[in-house]
Amino acid sequence: MAAITGFQAIHLKFGRRGSIRCGIAEPSGEPAPVGQKTRYNDGLAERVFMGLFARKMDKFGGLKKKNEMKEKEFWEYDYESFVAVSKRVVQGRSRSQQQEAVREVLLSILPPGAPEQFRKLFPPTKWAAEFNAALTVPFFHWLVGPSQVIEVEVNGVKQRSGVRIKKCRYLENSGCVGMCVNMCKIPTQDFFTNEFGLPLTMNPNFEDMSCEMIYGQVPPTFEEDPATKQPCLADICSIANPSSPICSKLLA
C-alpha cells in the first residue's frame, strides 16, 4: 500500500507536534516470525495518518459494506480498515489503474508545488539519498513497521542510502503480492523517481516479508523487475491462485 510515498513532506509538516512512532506489541519488541501476525500498539498520531490516507483512497474504493457507509473520523481508523480500503481500490482495476490511483492520492495529500520544492531541496545526490533514507526509518514506521538504514552500493559508490524493512506491515496484513507491487512498490518508486526526481528502487522479499529500499538507484522496468513475476502467497492470500506461476494482479 500504501500507500504509500512522498510521505516525507507530510511527516515533516506534522512530526514536530508529537511522536509518530508506532510500537510493536510483541514481547520481543521485534516483528513476529513469518506465519504469525505482528501485533502493534498504534497511538493517535498513527491512526490519524492511517485515516488521512484511507479517506483519500476511499474515493477510489468502490462499494462499501453497510457497516462501512458512515464516514469515520481520522482517528477512528486502524490498520485493518486502512488495508481494507486498499483492497477495495484493487477490485475491478488493472494494475496500471491501481498504480495511478495511488499516484493521485499522493498528489492530493501534498501541498501545491511540493514536487518542485522537493526537487530543489533534494537534487539526486548522495547526500539527498542518504538524508531521505534516514527520514524513512521514523516516518514510514506506521506504514511498514520497523526498519533500519543500511549501506548499499549505487553506481559503484558505497553509501548509507538503503533502508531495510524487517517485516513489511503492509504486505503482512494484505497478504497479497499484487497489492505489494501495484499499491506500494511501483507507485512509490515512480513517485520518487519521476515526481520528486530522486531515484528509488524497492526490493521486496516475499519469503520473509522484508524489503530493501535503495535511494539513488534507478528502478528497473516493470518487465525486468523480479517482483513482477512472483506467484501468489497461497498460504495467506484469500484469493490466491496456487496453480498460477504469477499473481493474477500482476498480469493485467
Side-chain angles (χ1 to χ4, degrees), residues 43-246:
L44 177 60
E46 292 80 49
R47 288 176 177 271
V48 168
F49 277 114
M50 293 170 194
L52 174 64
F53 280 87
R55 289 177 68 170
K56 288 290 185 179
M57 286 194 296
D58 210 22
K59 70 175 184 177
F60 298 96
L63 295 175
K64 300 179 181 180
K65 297 177 182 179
K66 287 185 177 181
N67 61 351
E68 297 173 328
M69 294 300 291
K70 183 180 178 181
E71 187 174 51
K72 298 178 180 179
E73 299 294 342
F74 286 126
W75 55 86
E76 293 180 319
Y77 282 84
D78 56 18
Y79 203 84
E80 285 70 26
S81 56
F82 166 72
V83 172
V85 173
S86 298
K87 289 182 177 180
R88 290 205 304 272
V89 173
V90 169
Q91 293 173 1
R93 285 186 171 84
S94 68
R95 72 186 188 208
S96 60
Q97 289 172 332
Q98 295 169 39
Q99 295 163 19
E100 179 59 23
V102 175
R103 176 180 175 275
E104 290 187 32
V105 167
L106 294 172
L107 287 173
S108 72
I109 290 174
L110 294 173
E116 292 78 10
Q117 289 300 316
F118 188 98
R119 285 174 177 266
K120 292 178 181 178
L121 290 171
F122 304 110
T125 62
K126 176 183 176 182
W127 176 86
E130 292 184 333
F131 185 76
N132 276 272
L135 287 179
T136 296
V137 173
F139 294 147
F140 274 65
H141 199 162
W142 72 270
L143 178 63
V144 300
S147 60
Q148 63 184 109
V149 173
I150 59 173
E151 184 178 75
V152 293
E153 187 172 308
V154 178
N155 299 324
V157 178
K158 290 185 177 181
Q159 55 192 51
R160 291 183 61 78
S161 67
V163 176
R164 185 180 184 277
I165 300 167
K166 296 182 179 181
K167 186 184 183 187
C168 180
R169 189 178 184 184
Y170 189 71
L171 177 58
E172 181 180 26
N173 281 265
S174 67
C176 181
V177 169
M179 288 181 65
C180 166
V181 174
N182 293 331
M183 297 291 288
C184 182
K185 172 184 160 62
I186 297 297
T188 301
Q189 289 179 166
D190 180 74
F191 204 83
F192 271 93
T193 302
N194 298 318
E195 300 291 339
F196 282 167
L198 180 64
L200 170 66
T201 295
M202 297 177 69
N203 298 315
N205 182 325
F206 295 105
E207 293 185 3
D208 64 7
M209 295 191 172
S210 65
C211 184
E212 186 175 85
M213 304 175 69
I214 306 176
Y215 288 95
Q217 183 176 92
V218 176
T221 63
F222 188 91
E223 293 72 21
E224 296 174 337
D225 197 324
T228 65
K229 300 173 177 60
Q230 295 292 318
C232 293
L233 299 175
D235 293 338
I236 59 174
C237 182
S238 60
I239 57 173
N241 181 1
S243 63
S244 175
I246 300 178

